[in-house]
Amino acid sequence: MAEIIRTDKLVKNYYRNQDKKDPSAKIEVLKGLDITIEDGEYVAIMGSSGGGKTTLLKILGMMEPLTEGKLYFKGQDSSLLWKDELADIRRREIGFVFQDFYLMDSLSAGENIMVPMILDKAQAEEMKQKMHGLARRFGVEKLIGKSPGELSGGEKQRIAICRALINDPGIIMADEPTGNLDAKSSRRLMDTFDDINKEMGKNIILVTHDPKIARCSDKIFFIDDGVIVRILEKKEGDTSEFYREILREMEKMEEE
Amino acid sequence: MKRLGKLYQIISVLIYTFIAAAVWLPWIRCGGKGRSLPEYIMIVKDSGGIVHMTDGNPELVASYYLFYVILLAAVLSLVYVAGRLAGKDIKIVYRMIQWCEFLYTAAALIFFPLVPMGWTYLLPLLCMAEFVLRQYVEQRDTILAEARVREQRDRLERDERKRRLYFPGRYGSSYYKMILKNVRYHIRNYVMLIVSSTFLMLFLFLVFALKSAFMEIHSAEAVTGGGTQRILLNAVWMGLILNAVLMGLSFSYYIRSKMREENMLVVLGIRSGALRAIMLLEYAGCLVCAAILGLILGNLFYRILIGVIGTRIPVTAGGMTAGTYMIILGIFAAAALTAAMVNSHVYDHMRWSASGLIAPGRNRIPGVFGLISGIIGCICMVWAFVRMTGRDGGESEESQVLYLLGLILVLLCVRAVEMQRIRQDDNRYFRYLFDRFPFLTGFGQNMKKIYLLTVIAFLVMYTFASVYGSSAASPVSKEQYPYDFVCTAGEEAEEELQELGAQYAQNVKQYPMATVYSLMPNNISLVNSFKDIFSLDYAAVSNGRQALTDPPVQIGVPESVYLKLKKERGEDAEALKLSGEEIAVVYQEDASAKAHLLDWSGTADTLNLQTLSQEAELWSYRAYTPRKVVREERDILTGICGGGKEQNLVVFSDDFFDEIYQGEQLYLILAEEGDYEAADQELLSISKDIEGMSYYGRRAMIQDTETERYLKQVVWMFMLIMVGVCGIYLLFIKFCFEMDEITARYRFLDCMGMHEGPLRKTLGHEMRPFCVIPLLAGGGSAVIFTLLMFRVRMYNAAEILQYLRCVLPVWVIYWLAQWTAYLALKKVLSDKILIKK
Ligand SMILES: Nc1ncnc2c1ncn2[C@@H]1O[C@H](COP(=O)(O)OP(=O)(O)O)[C@@H](O)[C@H]1O
Ligand SMILES: [Mg+2]
């Protein structure tokens, strides 16, 4: 299997007040991660809050520059890509579901779903069809005309998921996508992700706290304080053993 | 030596031949003629040496010796050219010539204003050009080779870029719909931008239109001094700067409000080109709206204004030429671009930091530094006051700048000390934590806003209001021109003028007088020099210094004539009792003229005067004699000329006047009822025949002054409004930007169980400094300055009242507007915080 994303000693620092010279302003978030994600893999990222999961996901999604190390996307060194190439990758190859949704207040929910396609110069007809299809699938058909301000958290989340899927990206990245969902929607989302992964052969990278969701994945990175403490890989078909292992790992992290 | 190009050799020889020959071109203006350098040096020799000739004026002496450097350069140039022609390149001579030229020019520019003609500064540029050419010729091959390689690399990269970033197709209609919807949703942000640029357009249009309307009826610009052109140019610069600030403020608001959306689009993968295009489109759209709106409103206001003014002066609302429109649009576009450029780095910074953490700026409350700045500030303020109390330091802008600087430092010190004390005392800290929150957590940032508001208050209440108010408070009237014609002439005009008097006049008064010049008639202040440079008034500047133009003419009269003139005007006059060479000065100006001296080279009570005839050299140091001024007053005895700069009366004692009297006469003519025009014509033709005679007529003078006043008032009213709006904007920006943060903070306090009363009180405490400090510091200073202005301008009680009548409404309106904005903001905030239960 070809690797699709690989990081090499990935380091990310934030600087308070953008002050790069002052060492006391440095916040080390990621401390040299080596991650490889193969084509078609379903990957979960777990770990304590504040451990750097969101940051990692943003870097993998090329929304955030990295401080040191390398990030290879489909074999290309991301530091050698132009800004617009990164934009193209974000638009076409990655669908992102943010923790805080990131919907535009000025547009209706339906239009929000279509934004990535609009930016990709797509035809209006095609866009509408696709948007309706996705909305039906996630049960937000009735919400299409509303503005984001009138939606609940869970509804916004589903809109954001539709938006992530609309450009048929090869990779879906989601930051705690089930955080605001009821059990039923949550399960449906998991099924969708499963479908996307198994049937369409797309990559999924998911940050979650929920072991039930994590057990659907093929591989789990546990991150604590900017380093990978453990990588779990699912053995063929053995879901229940995998689930137990996850629980054990979570307990271990709690104890520390 | 490398093989040099033939062409270069020819050019080089030509240039250095020219440099050698240039000393024979007219270098210096001396005795009213352009002299070549050797000629000048001979003249100096003949008149017994430079020290003798210039009366030891050190600048002139030094400049004179500097000319030898140029002569040396000329000789060396000849040597160099000779060498060249003989096929030798004498490097050391070459270097020396260049050094000479640069030394001379640098010294002449920086230290010595004596004044070779402007073209001579071209010589070092020629040298430099030659040098560059030589470098190029010597290194041509390598340069070309490098350029070729670079170009190839660039082309490859361009091609690669094109290939990799290929993005075919066009954005669909939904793309534009999305942008439009976004604009409509955030229309509030654009309104601010549009309003501020409409303001600029309106201002430009009105000023230019009024000017072109007044031009037609404004006679001789040069005679009246000031002149509409100057008012206009000055105003345009000031207005542009103010407007750039205003536009900058609204621009940053606009950017700030767009940040979230932008960032979202970036994350969703918008192309950077598309993003830039959206920004540009929006900005350009706003500008076009503003331009159209401004032109329409401008036209409307213009017509109304002309309608009002037209009842008094014969002006009509004429159209402007296409060229003027182009100029207006050009200035508008330039201002808009400047505002965009100034703000684009803010934009970039915000955009890229929006994805990271926008932390509040580092907050440091100055300690020792605050105290030091307080001391420096006090010194500045006291110094400014001392300057402000004399006519010589007077109303210069430098005093104001100095004062404001001092004020800022003192404010900083006071606030810093207060905050330090609060912070160090735990008890106090908790008590004041919420009240003084902005200053405890964002000291610098909030102080900056307070300074700005303070400065704005000062500008509104004093700097601009004094120009506007004093010009509005002294309407032009017959009082200021008691005679129909004022004429000064030598003996030879006597016959003709008397004839004219007999024919047209009901009354001709004739007095002996002597023309008087003062050495340095202008206040060459730094600010003035800059203003002159910016107003493109190159006649007034040379190397940033005042050029030696003919000094204004003052009228010298004996004391007896002074008494007669006073009596003529129905005023009681007491004898001045001048003795010997003492003099008294009567400034003939109204309340609108800034306090000034006739001679800035002396102090307030000495005056360097020359009372010779016209042929004398006006710029020779020796010709001027310092005289003691025993008395100054402001009164109009013959009429205001040149806005107070010319024809002021210099009163001599009778004995001394007899010594300097050379037969000149001052004629004050009152024409018969219907004969004004005819007399005017007659005088004009006489003045053409007789050299040295000058006159002005009341009607033209009144009309000119009146048009200038109107223009001035409109212009400065605009400035006032513009600064006032800036002040209100600033308040809005402060509290609108921070609205969410403030609301969250107070909601929290509310949830924690703080009662409504204390909540309101705390909010009031937090917001009040932004209104009270500017009011006290800025407004208070403005009042003090206004009082000092009354003093140095020698206002009488009636004039003070008149002035206050014009300016008080401005003060009141400004503060009403400011307080209204403040209260509205406070209400919005407290409504947000205290949701009705
Ligand atoms: N923009 C930022 N600037 C500075 N520090 C940040 C920024 N974003 C996140 N951090 C810090 O980085 C660490 C990791 O954050 P994050 O990746 O969001 O953690 P999580 O694993 O909970 O998603 C946290 O300690 C957070 O304070
Ligand atoms: Mg997170």
Side-chain angles (χ1 to χ4, degrees), chain A residues 53-54 99 175-176 207:
Chain A
K53 302 185 297 295
T54 302
Q99 220 168 351
D175 196 359
E176 303 187 22
V207 170

Short mmCIF file of all heavy atoms in Angstrom, two decimals, chain A residues 53-54 99 175-176 207, ligand 2:
data_model
loop_
_atom_site.label_atom_id
_atom_site.label_comp_id
_atom_site.label_asym_id
_atom_site.label_seq_id
_atom_site.Cartn_x
_atom_site.Cartn_y
_atom_site.Cartn_z
N LYS A 53 -3.91 17.28 19.67
CA LYS A 53 -4.59 16.52 18.62
C LYS A 53 -5.09 17.43 17.51
O LYS A 53 -4.87 17.18 16.32
CB LYS A 53 -5.78 15.75 19.23
CG LYS A 53 -5.38 14.80 20.35
CD LYS A 53 -6.55 13.99 20.83
CE LYS A 53 -7.68 14.81 21.44
NZ LYS A 53 -7.33 15.53 22.69
N THR A 54 -5.80 18.49 17.93
CA THR A 54 -6.33 19.40 16.93
C THR A 54 -5.20 20.02 16.11
O THR A 54 -5.29 20.14 14.90
CB THR A 54 -7.14 20.52 17.62
OG1 THR A 54 -8.17 19.91 18.37
CG2 THR A 54 -7.73 21.46 16.61
N GLN A 99 -13.84 21.41 14.86
CA GLN A 99 -14.42 21.31 16.19
C GLN A 99 -15.47 22.41 16.40
O GLN A 99 -16.51 22.20 16.99
CB GLN A 99 -13.31 21.47 17.23
CG GLN A 99 -13.44 20.55 18.38
CD GLN A 99 -12.16 20.55 19.20
OE1 GLN A 99 -11.15 21.11 18.81
NE2 GLN A 99 -12.21 19.90 20.34
N ASP A 175 -12.53 16.52 13.49
CA ASP A 175 -12.08 16.80 14.85
C ASP A 175 -13.26 16.64 15.79
O ASP A 175 -14.15 17.48 15.82
CB ASP A 175 -11.53 18.23 14.90
CG ASP A 175 -10.69 18.46 16.13
OD1 ASP A 175 -10.57 17.52 16.94
OD2 ASP A 175 -10.19 19.58 16.29
N GLU A 176 -13.28 15.55 16.50
CA GLU A 176 -14.38 15.23 17.40
C GLU A 176 -15.74 15.47 16.76
O GLU A 176 -16.53 16.28 17.23
CB GLU A 176 -14.25 16.04 18.69
CG GLU A 176 -12.91 15.76 19.34
CD GLU A 176 -12.78 16.39 20.72
OE1 GLU A 176 -13.83 16.67 21.33
OE2 GLU A 176 -11.65 16.57 21.17
N VAL A 207 -10.28 12.57 15.12
CA VAL A 207 -9.91 12.78 16.52
C VAL A 207 -11.14 12.48 17.36
O VAL A 207 -12.23 12.96 17.05
CB VAL A 207 -9.46 14.23 16.76
CG1 VAL A 207 -9.32 14.48 18.24
CG2 VAL A 207 -8.17 14.52 16.05
MG MG C 2 -9.07 19.62 20.13
#
